[in-house]
Amino acid sequence: ADSGDDDVELPTIRHQPEGLEQLLAQTKFTKTELQSLYRGFKNECPSGLVDEETFILIYSRFFPQGDASSYAHFLFDAFDADRNGALCFQDFAVGLSVLLRGTEQQKLKWTFDLYDVNKDGYITKEVTLGDTGGLAGWEHPDRDLPAPCVPQDMLEIMKSIYAMMGRCTEPALGASAPAQHVELFFQKMDRNGDGVVTFEEFLATCQE
Amino acid sequence: MAAGVAAWLPFARAAAIGWMPVANCPMPLAPTEKNKRQDELIILNVSGRRFQTWRTTLERYPDTLLGSTEKEFFFNEDTKEYFFDRDPEVFRCILNFYRTGKLHYPRYECISAYDEELAFYGILPEIIGDCCYEEYKDRKRENAERLMDDNDSENNQEGSMPSLSFRQTMWRAFENPHTSTLALVFYYVTGFFIAVSVITNVVETVPCGTVPGNKELPCGERYAVAFFCLDTACVMIFTVEYLLRLFAAPSRYRFIRSVMSIIDVVAIMPYYIGLVMTNNEDVSGAFVTLRVFRVFRIFKFSRHSQGLRILGYTLKSCASELGFLLFSLTMAIIIFATVMFYAEKGSSASKFTSIPASFWYTIVTMTTLGYGDMVPKTIAGKIFGSICSLSGVLVIALPVPVIVSNFSRIYHQNQRADKRRAQKKARLARIRVAKTGSSNAYLHSKRNGLLNEALELTGSTEEEQHMTKGASLIESQHHHLLHCLEKTTGLSYLVDDPLLSVRTSTIKNHEFIDEQLFEQNCMESSMQNYPSSRSPSLSSHHGLTTSCCSRRNKKSTHLPNSSVPATRLRSMQELSTIHIQCSEPSLTTSRSSLNMKSDDGLRPNCKAAQITTAIISIPTPPALTPEGESRPAPGSPGHATNIPSATTPNIVKVSAL
């Protein structure tokens, strides 16, 4: 960790969450639950903010064998609703509220947002030639893709998930496993076969 | 997992929802949280100081005392809090560990006290945070050294070690001259001869007087014979000493490899080599060189001087600093020598003929000696020469403080060790007094107890109360324990104080007689009488004015552990009754009754009958008491009840204690 930056940033920035009542209104937690959540959060991050590096560090401790940094990065983006580069307690609590207490639709929306890496409303799977071998028949050169270098939402996510497993897996991980998994996913989800998955398609498939 | 991570775990699990839509296989069921309690505050009362924390804080580390169900043992129902009778200061650190995940070691705390507390709460010291780990390890090491020191000095000073072989005594005499006068004499004699040898080496070379021929001779050649005799004598003493040490050493191989032994060998070798070699011209040069090694005899003094040993040890421990010093000096010397050589190359008749020749100038200058036999003449040479002397001061000054501080540390350690040894004598004396005090107390209580018995039987109750001193509960229980042990083994405690043991044996009550002597008698008799369990060899024991239970004792020595509870119970009861009989002069009757009731020799402690202060009064069921003598039996219980022991028939179990 580049402690130089941390020394400059975190001690000067301190964040206090909004009042308990406001959080109660925004989330579905009870007062005691919020209290104990905050206690744990504040214990870990006395300054009240979690920056991405710390977040990745914390999350990686749960997956010692693999590399959880990329998935943690996506998670961070998903939680950081107001896009300010740091998670405050409110983000944390709201996100958790959705995940633990939300309706199924809310949870799926959250998951969809997680997958939608570039936040454009579609889960794309861009295929560039020579990149993901073995996906013949799925080439869509320039359908809905705004630019050739749009990040491949699903592939990235999948690769990051597989990365968390690490190298010592049974059966051994092939390089094309994520891509194959992506293909399966799209086969299931992409109803109209246009190469992207919209939220409605996603919702429909998952609720079946 | 660390505390902090545990706090994020629910979050990570929630985030796992993100995997669900892409999962190939169905997800496993989540573990149910049994009796998920609402988080509650628990109160930890440590010696009166109340700490409060959330239950989940403590449960972060489930393999410690506070985090597991082990703390339930300390739960106090009345006050609804957990009470620990421990040090509250250290508990502060321990609780902080649960809160922050980092264990700190406070510097003001004693290391062994801290370790004990950690062990009590089930926390491994390895998790001490980096900030305090260094300090902790240092203190722990010092403590370990101190313990080792104590053990060593204990071993060294155990004068009464029995059955040391001759070899071992000799080795101990060599290592520690204070063990016996002979060792001391040996120590001083060798020291003297080392001094003599070194002085002769020195004086040998002094010129003393001239010989006709105008040649000044050194003393060595003038009085060659005398010096040779002196040398021979010294070498013989050293050789004998070396051989003796070699013989006495517990591990000869290790001794040969040790530094002192090598010095010994090097000190005496030149003489023998000189004997062997002829006066050949070729080898005489080498022979002369060998004589130089004789000066190593001076190192033998290190056995006699602790300061020398410390110095040697310091140098050894500062080896890396010394090495660094040497290396940096060498670098500087080479650099400056080269520079000076080239600077002085131009000047005529310069002494700096080559770079190696310049080494001498550089060394002399850097160590600020400045002999002046080589001086630069050119301006450039003078400039570089001054830079050289300035840098020399710096380079040498750097590693020296490290070496000095090391020496100081080791020296102080040694001083402390010596101080401890001196104090230890006083401490041991005090400890011994305390020990004899407690065993005196035990014998006193035995005596008092028995006197109580006697008094009670004679019917005087007032004196009985007078005699029962208010022995504390713990003391009385302790004495009971010691007594049970005595009975089990058939031996008895004797105090060092001869006066005391004599006193106990003169007590009228014959049970108290010197039980060891008694036991010896029993052993002898038992040898003869064992096969016949009930044969009345009473007559042989009649002469013994000792305890009535001699017969029983016979058997007990052979079958110490074979007591079956039932028979034991019965015998205990018998014994309590027998006791009453014993105190009456009619020995014969008791013995016979004894015989009639005797079981198959499974009689553990007949001596138990002698003391019933502790052994309780079992409300003896009439069926078992012989000849109606049970009546007096409750009498003794009446007395014994002032000692709070279990009065149930389950007395046989030692748990009655």
Side-chain angles (χ1 to χ4, degrees), chain A residues 32 39 41 43-45 50 55 58-59 61-63 71 75 79 92 96 99-100 107 111 114-115 154 158 161 164 181 185 202, chain B residues 1-12 14-24 38-39 54 56 60 98-100:
Chain A
T32 19
R39 279 201 301 270
F41 181 82
N43 213 20
E44 264 310 285
C45 316
V50 188
F55 183 83
I58 293 174
Y59 201 76
R61 280 192 247 164
F62 291 106
F63 303 98
Y71 187 69
L75 261 188
F79 266 92
F92 182 66
L96 265 187
L99 286 174
L100 296 176
K107 290 188 197 174
T111 317
L114 172 69
Y115 292 160
M154 214 43 224
M158 203 58 74
I161 294 182
M164 279 197 289
H181 206 137
F185 175 78
F202 186 74
Chain B
M1 257 203 282
V5 180
W8 290 90
L9 187 56
F11 160 80
I17 287 183
W19 303 338
M20 290 191 62
V22 294
N24 279 341
Q38 206 42 297
D39 202 3
W54 297 107
T56 45
R60 283 181 194 157
Y98 286 92
R99 293 185 181 132
T100 62

Coordinates of all heavy atoms in Angstrom, one line a residue, chain A residues 32 39 41 43-45 50 55 58-59 61-63 71 75 79 92 96 99-100 107 111 114-115 154 158 161 164 181 185 202, chain B residues 1-12 14-24 38-39 54 56 60 98-100:
Chain A
T32 N -30.9 -1.5 16.8 CA -29.8 -2.2 17.4 C -28.9 -2.8 16.3 O -27.7 -2.8 16.5 CB -30.3 -3.3 18.3 OG1 -31.6 -3.7 18.0 CG2 -30.2 -3.0 19.8
R39 N -20.7 -0.1 15.0 CA -19.6 -0.4 15.9 C -18.5 -1.2 15.2 O -17.4 -0.8 15.3 CB -20.1 -1.1 17.2 CG -20.7 -0.2 18.2 CD -20.7 -0.8 19.5 NE -21.4 -2.1 19.5 CZ -22.7 -2.2 19.8 NH1 -23.4 -1.2 20.1 NH2 -23.3 -3.4 19.8
F41 N -18.0 -1.4 12.0 CA -17.5 -0.6 10.9 C -16.5 0.5 11.5 O -15.4 0.6 11.0 CB -18.6 0.1 10.2 CG -18.2 1.0 9.1 CD1 -17.9 0.4 7.8 CD2 -18.0 2.4 9.2 CE1 -17.5 1.2 6.8 CE2 -17.6 3.2 8.2 CZ -17.4 2.6 7.0
N43 N -14.9 0.4 14.3 CA -13.7 -0.2 14.9 C -12.7 -0.5 13.8 O -11.5 -0.3 14.0 CB -14.1 -1.6 15.5 CG -13.3 -1.9 16.7 OD1 -12.7 -1.0 17.3 ND2 -13.3 -3.1 17.0
E44 N -13.1 -0.9 12.6 CA -12.2 -1.2 11.6 C -11.7 0.1 10.9 O -10.5 0.2 10.6 CB -12.9 -2.1 10.5 CG -12.6 -3.5 10.7 CD -11.2 -3.8 10.9 OE1 -10.4 -3.8 9.9 OE2 -10.7 -4.1 12.0
C45 N -12.5 1.0 10.7 CA -12.2 2.2 10.0 C -12.5 3.4 10.8 O -13.6 4.0 10.7 CB -12.9 2.3 8.6 SG -13.0 0.8 7.8
V50 N -13.9 4.1 4.0 CA -13.1 3.0 3.5 C -12.7 3.3 2.0 O -13.6 3.5 1.2 CB -13.9 1.7 3.5 CG1 -13.0 0.5 3.1 CG2 -14.5 1.4 4.8
F55 N -10.4 -1.6 1.3 CA -11.5 -2.5 1.0 C -11.0 -3.8 0.4 O -11.3 -4.9 0.8 CB -12.5 -1.8 0.1 CG -13.7 -2.7 -0.2 CD1 -14.8 -2.7 0.7 CD2 -13.8 -3.4 -1.3 CE1 -15.9 -3.4 0.5 CE2 -14.9 -4.2 -1.6 CZ -16.0 -4.2 -0.7
I58 N -9.2 -5.9 2.9 CA -10.1 -6.6 3.8 C -10.7 -7.8 3.1 O -10.8 -8.9 3.7 CB -11.2 -5.6 4.4 CG1 -10.6 -4.6 5.2 CG2 -12.2 -6.4 5.1 CD1 -11.6 -3.5 5.7
Y59 N -11.2 -7.5 1.9 CA -11.9 -8.6 1.2 C -10.9 -9.7 0.9 O -11.3 -10.9 0.9 CB -12.5 -8.1 0.0 CG -13.7 -8.9 -0.5 CD1 -14.9 -8.9 0.1 CD2 -13.5 -9.8 -1.6 CE1 -15.9 -9.7 -0.3 CE2 -14.5 -10.6 -2.0 CZ -15.7 -10.6 -1.4 OH -16.7 -11.4 -1.8
R61 N -8.6 -10.9 2.6 CA -8.3 -11.7 3.8 C -9.3 -12.9 3.9 O -9.0 -13.9 4.5 CB -8.4 -10.9 5.1 CG -7.2 -10.1 5.3 CD -7.2 -9.5 6.7 NE -7.3 -8.1 6.7 CZ -7.6 -7.4 7.7 NH1 -7.9 -7.9 8.9 NH2 -7.7 -6.1 7.7
F62 N -10.4 -12.8 3.2 CA -11.3 -13.9 3.2 C -10.9 -15.0 2.2 O -11.4 -16.1 2.3 CB -12.7 -13.5 2.9 CG -13.3 -12.6 4.0 CD1 -13.5 -11.3 3.8 CD2 -13.7 -13.2 5.2 CE1 -14.0 -10.5 4.8 CE2 -14.2 -12.4 6.2 CZ -14.4 -11.0 6.0
F63 N -10.1 -14.6 1.3 CA -9.8 -15.6 0.2 C -8.2 -15.6 0.1 O -7.6 -15.1 -0.8 CB -10.4 -15.1 -1.1 CG -11.8 -15.0 -1.0 CD1 -12.4 -13.7 -0.8 CD2 -12.7 -16.1 -1.1 CE1 -13.8 -13.6 -0.7 CE2 -14.1 -15.9 -1.0 CZ -14.6 -14.7 -0.8
Y71 N -12.3 -8.8 -8.0 CA -13.7 -8.9 -7.6 C -14.0 -7.9 -6.6 O -15.1 -7.3 -6.6 CB -14.0 -10.3 -7.1 CG -15.4 -10.5 -6.8 CD1 -16.4 -10.6 -7.9 CD2 -15.9 -10.6 -5.6 CE1 -17.7 -10.8 -7.6 CE2 -17.2 -10.8 -5.3 CZ -18.1 -10.9 -6.4 OH -19.5 -11.1 -6.1
L75 N -16.9 -5.1 -6.5 CA -17.8 -4.9 -5.3 C -17.8 -3.5 -4.8 O -18.8 -2.9 -4.5 CB -17.3 -5.9 -4.2 CG -18.1 -7.2 -4.0 CD1 -17.6 -7.8 -2.8 CD2 -19.5 -7.0 -4.0
F79 N -20.9 -1.0 -4.4 CA -21.4 -0.4 -3.1 C -21.3 1.1 -3.1 O -22.1 1.8 -2.5 CB -20.5 -0.9 -2.0 CG -21.1 -2.1 -1.3 CD1 -20.7 -3.4 -1.7 CD2 -22.0 -2.0 -0.3 CE1 -21.3 -4.5 -1.1 CE2 -22.5 -3.1 0.4 CZ -22.2 -4.4 -0.1
F92 N -22.4 1.6 2.9 CA -22.2 0.2 3.5 C -23.6 -0.3 4.0 O -24.0 -1.4 3.6 CB -21.2 0.3 4.6 CG -20.9 -0.9 5.3 CD1 -20.2 -1.9 4.6 CD2 -21.2 -1.1 6.6 CE1 -19.8 -3.1 5.3 CE2 -20.8 -2.2 7.3 CZ -20.2 -3.2 6.6
L96 N -25.9 -3.2 2.3 CA -26.2 -4.4 3.1 C -27.7 -4.6 3.3 O -28.2 -5.7 3.3 CB -25.5 -4.3 4.5 CG -24.2 -5.0 4.6 CD1 -23.7 -5.0 6.0 CD2 -24.2 -6.4 4.1
L99 N -29.0 -6.2 0.3 CA -28.6 -7.6 0.2 C -29.3 -8.5 1.2 O -29.5 -9.7 0.9 CB -27.1 -7.7 0.3 CG -26.3 -7.2 -0.9 CD1 -24.8 -7.2 -0.6 CD2 -26.6 -8.1 -2.1
L100 N -29.5 -8.0 2.4 CA -30.0 -8.9 3.4 C -31.5 -8.8 3.6 O -32.1 -9.7 3.9 CB -29.3 -8.6 4.7 CG -27.8 -8.8 4.8 CD1 -27.2 -8.3 6.1 CD2 -27.5 -10.3 4.6
K107 N -32.6 -7.3 -4.9 CA -31.4 -8.0 -4.8 C -30.9 -8.3 -6.3 O -29.7 -8.1 -6.6 CB -31.5 -9.4 -4.1 CG -31.8 -9.3 -2.7 CD -31.8 -10.6 -2.0 CE -32.4 -10.6 -0.6 NZ -32.5 -11.8 0.0
T111 N -27.5 -7.1 -8.1 CA -26.5 -8.0 -8.8 C -26.3 -7.6 -10.2 O -25.2 -7.6 -10.7 CB -27.1 -9.5 -8.7 OG1 -27.6 -9.7 -7.4 CG2 -26.0 -10.5 -9.1
L114 N -24.0 -4.9 -10.2 CA -22.6 -5.4 -10.0 C -22.0 -5.9 -11.3 O -20.9 -5.6 -11.7 CB -22.6 -6.6 -9.0 CG -21.3 -7.3 -8.8 CD1 -20.3 -6.4 -8.1 CD2 -21.6 -8.6 -7.9
Y115 N -22.8 -6.7 -12.1 CA -22.2 -7.2 -13.3 C -22.0 -6.2 -14.3 O -21.1 -6.3 -15.2 CB -23.2 -8.3 -13.9 CG -23.3 -9.5 -13.0 CD1 -24.4 -10.4 -13.2 CD2 -22.4 -9.8 -12.1 CE1 -24.5 -11.5 -12.4 CE2 -22.5 -11.0 -11.3 CZ -23.6 -11.8 -11.5 OH -23.7 -12.9 -10.7
M154 N -19.1 -9.1 -18.6 CA -19.3 -10.4 -18.0 C -18.0 -11.1 -17.9 O -17.7 -11.8 -16.9 CB -20.3 -11.2 -18.8 CG -21.1 -12.1 -18.0 SD -21.7 -11.3 -16.5 CE -21.3 -12.6 -15.4
M158 N -16.4 -12.6 -14.5 CA -16.2 -14.1 -14.4 C -14.7 -14.3 -14.1 O -14.4 -15.2 -13.3 CB -16.6 -14.7 -15.7 CG -16.9 -16.2 -15.5 SD -18.2 -16.5 -14.4 CE -19.6 -15.9 -15.3
I161 N -14.0 -13.7 -10.6 CA -14.5 -14.7 -9.7 C -13.6 -15.9 -9.7 O -13.3 -16.5 -8.6 CB -16.0 -15.1 -10.0 CG1 -16.9 -13.9 -9.8 CG2 -16.4 -16.3 -9.2 CD1 -18.4 -14.3 -10.1
M164 N -10.5 -15.6 -7.7 CA -10.5 -15.7 -6.3 C -10.3 -17.2 -5.8 O -9.8 -17.4 -4.7 CB -11.9 -15.4 -5.7 CG -12.1 -13.9 -5.6 SD -13.5 -13.5 -4.6 CE -14.8 -13.9 -5.6
H181 N -17.7 -20.2 -19.2 CA -18.8 -19.9 -18.2 C -19.6 -18.7 -18.7 O -20.8 -18.6 -18.5 CB -18.1 -19.6 -16.8 CG -19.0 -19.9 -15.7 ND1 -18.6 -20.5 -14.6 CD2 -20.3 -19.6 -15.5 CE1 -19.6 -20.6 -13.7 NE2 -20.7 -20.1 -14.3
F185 N -23.6 -18.4 -19.5 CA -24.4 -17.4 -18.9 C -25.2 -16.7 -20.0 O -26.5 -16.5 -19.9 CB -23.5 -16.4 -18.2 CG -24.2 -15.2 -17.6 CD1 -24.9 -15.4 -16.4 CD2 -24.2 -14.0 -18.2 CE1 -25.6 -14.3 -15.9 CE2 -24.8 -12.9 -17.7 CZ -25.5 -13.0 -16.5
F202 N -32.6 -10.3 -17.6 CA -31.9 -10.8 -16.4 C -33.0 -11.2 -15.4 O -32.9 -12.3 -14.8 CB -31.0 -9.8 -15.9 CG -30.1 -10.2 -14.7 CD1 -29.0 -11.1 -15.0 CD2 -30.4 -9.8 -13.5 CE1 -28.2 -11.5 -13.9 CE2 -29.5 -10.2 -12.4 CZ -28.5 -11.1 -12.6
Chain B
M1 N -9.1 -15.9 12.4 CA -9.2 -14.7 11.7 C -9.2 -13.5 12.6 O -9.7 -13.6 13.7 CB -10.5 -14.7 10.9 CG -10.3 -14.9 9.4 SD -11.6 -14.3 8.4 CE -12.8 -15.6 8.6
A2 N -8.7 -12.4 12.2 CA -8.6 -11.3 13.1 C -9.9 -10.7 13.4 O -10.9 -11.0 12.7 CB -7.7 -10.2 12.5
A3 N -9.9 -9.9 14.5 CA -11.2 -9.4 14.9 C -11.8 -8.5 13.8 O -13.0 -8.6 13.5 CB -11.0 -8.5 16.2
G4 N -11.0 -7.7 13.2 CA -11.5 -6.8 12.2 C -12.1 -7.5 11.1 O -13.2 -7.1 10.6
V5 N -11.5 -8.5 10.7 CA -12.0 -9.3 9.5 C -13.3 -9.9 9.9 O -14.3 -9.9 9.1 CB -11.0 -10.4 9.1 CG1 -11.5 -11.1 7.9 CG2 -9.7 -9.7 8.8
A6 N -13.4 -10.4 11.1 CA -14.7 -11.0 11.5 C -15.8 -10.0 11.4 O -17.0 -10.4 11.1 CB -14.6 -11.5 12.9
A7 N -15.5 -8.8 11.7 CA -16.6 -7.8 11.6 C -17.1 -7.6 10.2 O -18.3 -7.3 10.0 CB -16.1 -6.4 12.1
W8 N -16.3 -7.9 9.2 CA -16.7 -7.7 7.8 C -17.3 -9.0 7.2 O -17.7 -9.0 6.1 CB -15.5 -7.3 7.0 CG -15.0 -5.9 7.2 CD1 -14.1 -5.6 8.1 CD2 -15.5 -4.7 6.6 NE1 -13.9 -4.2 8.1 CE2 -14.7 -3.7 7.2 CE3 -16.4 -4.5 5.6 CZ2 -14.9 -2.4 6.8 CZ3 -16.5 -3.1 5.2 CH2 -15.8 -2.1 5.8
L9 N -17.2 -10.0 8.0 CA -17.7 -11.3 7.4 C -19.1 -11.3 6.9 O -19.4 -11.8 5.8 CB -17.4 -12.4 8.4 CG -17.7 -13.8 7.9 CD1 -16.8 -14.1 6.6 CD2 -17.3 -14.9 8.9
P10 N -20.0 -10.7 7.7 CA -21.4 -10.8 7.3 C -21.5 -10.0 6.0 O -22.3 -10.3 5.1 CB -22.2 -10.1 8.4 CG -21.2 -9.5 9.3 CD -19.9 -10.2 9.1
F11 N -20.8 -9.0 5.8 CA -20.8 -8.2 4.6 C -20.3 -9.0 3.4 O -20.9 -9.0 2.3 CB -19.9 -7.0 4.8 CG -19.4 -6.4 3.6 CD1 -20.2 -5.5 2.9 CD2 -18.2 -6.6 3.1 CE1 -19.8 -4.9 1.7 CE2 -17.7 -6.1 1.9 CZ -18.6 -5.2 1.2
A12 N -19.2 -9.8 3.6 CA -18.7 -10.6 2.5 C -19.7 -11.6 2.1 O -19.9 -12.0 1.0 CB -17.4 -11.2 2.9
A14 N -22.9 -11.4 2.5 CA -24.0 -10.8 1.7 C -23.6 -10.6 0.3 O -24.3 -10.8 -0.7 CB -24.4 -9.5 2.4
A15 N -22.3 -10.1 0.1 CA -21.9 -9.8 -1.2 C -21.8 -11.1 -2.1 O -21.7 -11.0 -3.3 CB -20.5 -9.2 -1.2
A16 N -21.8 -12.2 -1.4 CA -21.8 -13.4 -2.2 C -23.0 -13.6 -3.0 O -23.0 -14.5 -3.9 CB -21.5 -14.6 -1.3
I17 N -24.0 -12.8 -2.8 CA -25.2 -12.9 -3.6 C -24.8 -12.6 -5.1 O -25.5 -13.1 -6.0 CB -26.2 -11.9 -3.1 CG1 -26.8 -12.4 -1.8 CG2 -27.3 -11.6 -4.1 CD1 -27.9 -11.5 -1.3
G18 N -23.8 -11.9 -5.2 CA -23.4 -11.6 -6.6 C -22.9 -12.8 -7.4 O -22.8 -12.8 -8.6
W19 N -22.7 -13.9 -6.7 CA -22.3 -15.1 -7.4 C -23.4 -16.0 -7.9 O -23.3 -16.8 -8.7 CB -21.4 -16.0 -6.5 CG -20.2 -15.3 -6.0 CD1 -19.6 -14.2 -6.5 CD2 -19.4 -15.7 -4.9 NE1 -18.5 -13.8 -5.7 CE2 -18.4 -14.8 -4.7 CE3 -19.6 -16.7 -3.9 CZ2 -17.5 -14.8 -3.7 CZ3 -18.7 -16.8 -2.9 CH2 -17.6 -15.8 -2.8
M20 N -24.5 -15.7 -7.3 CA -25.6 -16.7 -7.4 C -26.1 -16.8 -8.9 O -26.3 -18.0 -9.3 CB -26.8 -16.3 -6.5 CG -26.4 -16.6 -5.1 SD -27.8 -16.5 -4.0 CE -28.8 -17.8 -4.6
P21 N -26.3 -15.7 -9.6 CA -26.9 -16.0 -10.9 C -25.9 -16.7 -11.9 O -26.3 -17.3 -12.8 CB -27.1 -14.5 -11.4 CG -27.2 -13.7 -10.2 CD -26.3 -14.3 -9.2
V22 N -24.6 -16.6 -11.6 CA -23.7 -17.2 -12.5 C -23.3 -18.6 -12.0 O -22.4 -19.2 -12.6 CB -22.5 -16.4 -12.7 CG1 -22.9 -15.1 -13.4 CG2 -21.8 -16.0 -11.4
A23 N -23.8 -19.0 -10.9 CA -23.3 -20.2 -10.4 C -23.7 -21.4 -11.2 O -24.8 -21.5 -11.7 CB -23.9 -20.4 -9.0
N24 N -22.8 -22.3 -11.4 CA -23.1 -23.5 -12.2 C -23.8 -24.5 -11.4 O -24.7 -25.2 -11.9 CB -21.7 -24.2 -12.6 CG -21.2 -23.5 -13.8 OD1 -21.9 -22.8 -14.5 ND2 -19.9 -23.7 -14.1
Q38 N -29.4 -11.6 20.9 CA -29.1 -10.2 20.7 C -27.8 -9.8 21.4 O -27.6 -10.3 22.5 CB -30.3 -9.4 21.3 CG -30.7 -8.0 20.8 CD -30.6 -7.9 19.3 OE1 -29.6 -8.0 18.7 NE2 -31.8 -7.6 18.7
D39 N -27.0 -9.0 20.8 CA -25.7 -8.7 21.5 C -25.9 -8.1 22.8 O -26.7 -7.1 22.9 CB -24.9 -7.8 20.6 CG -23.5 -7.9 20.9 OD1 -23.1 -8.7 21.7 OD2 -22.7 -7.2 20.2
W54 N -19.1 -6.0 25.0 CA -20.1 -6.8 24.3 C -19.7 -8.2 24.3 O -18.5 -8.6 24.2 CB -20.3 -6.3 22.8 CG -20.7 -4.9 22.7 CD1 -20.0 -3.8 22.4 CD2 -22.1 -4.4 23.0 NE1 -20.8 -2.7 22.4 CE2 -22.0 -3.0 22.8 CE3 -23.3 -5.0 23.4 CZ2 -23.2 -2.2 23.0 CZ3 -24.4 -4.2 23.6 CH2 -24.3 -2.8 23.4
T56 N -20.1 -10.2 21.8 CA -19.5 -10.6 20.5 C -18.0 -10.2 20.5 O -17.3 -10.8 19.8 CB -20.2 -9.9 19.4 OG1 -20.4 -8.6 19.7 CG2 -21.5 -10.6 19.1
R60 N -14.9 -13.2 19.5 CA -14.1 -13.1 18.4 C -13.0 -14.2 18.4 O -12.5 -14.6 17.4 CB -13.4 -11.8 18.2 CG -14.4 -10.7 17.7 CD -13.7 -9.4 17.6 NE -14.6 -8.4 17.5 CZ -14.4 -7.1 17.8 NH1 -13.3 -6.8 18.3 NH2 -15.3 -6.2 17.6
Y98 N -9.0 -8.2 22.8 CA -10.2 -8.6 22.1 C -10.8 -7.4 21.3 O -11.4 -7.6 20.3 CB -11.2 -9.0 23.2 CG -10.9 -10.4 23.8 CD1 -10.1 -10.5 24.9 CD2 -11.4 -11.5 23.2 CE1 -9.8 -11.7 25.4 CE2 -11.1 -12.7 23.7 CZ -10.3 -12.9 24.8 OH -10.0 -14.1 25.3
R99 N -10.6 -6.2 21.9 CA -11.3 -5.1 21.2 C -10.6 -4.7 19.9 O -11.2 -4.5 18.9 CB -11.2 -3.9 22.2 CG -12.1 -4.1 23.4 CD -12.1 -2.8 24.2 NE -12.9 -3.0 25.4 CZ -12.5 -2.7 26.6 NH1 -11.3 -2.2 26.8 NH2 -13.3 -2.9 27.6
T100 N -9.2 -4.7 20.0 CA -8.5 -4.2 18.8 C -7.9 -5.3 18.0 O -7.4 -5.0 16.9 CB -7.4 -3.2 19.2 OG1 -6.5 -3.9 20.0 CG2 -8.0 -2.1 20.0

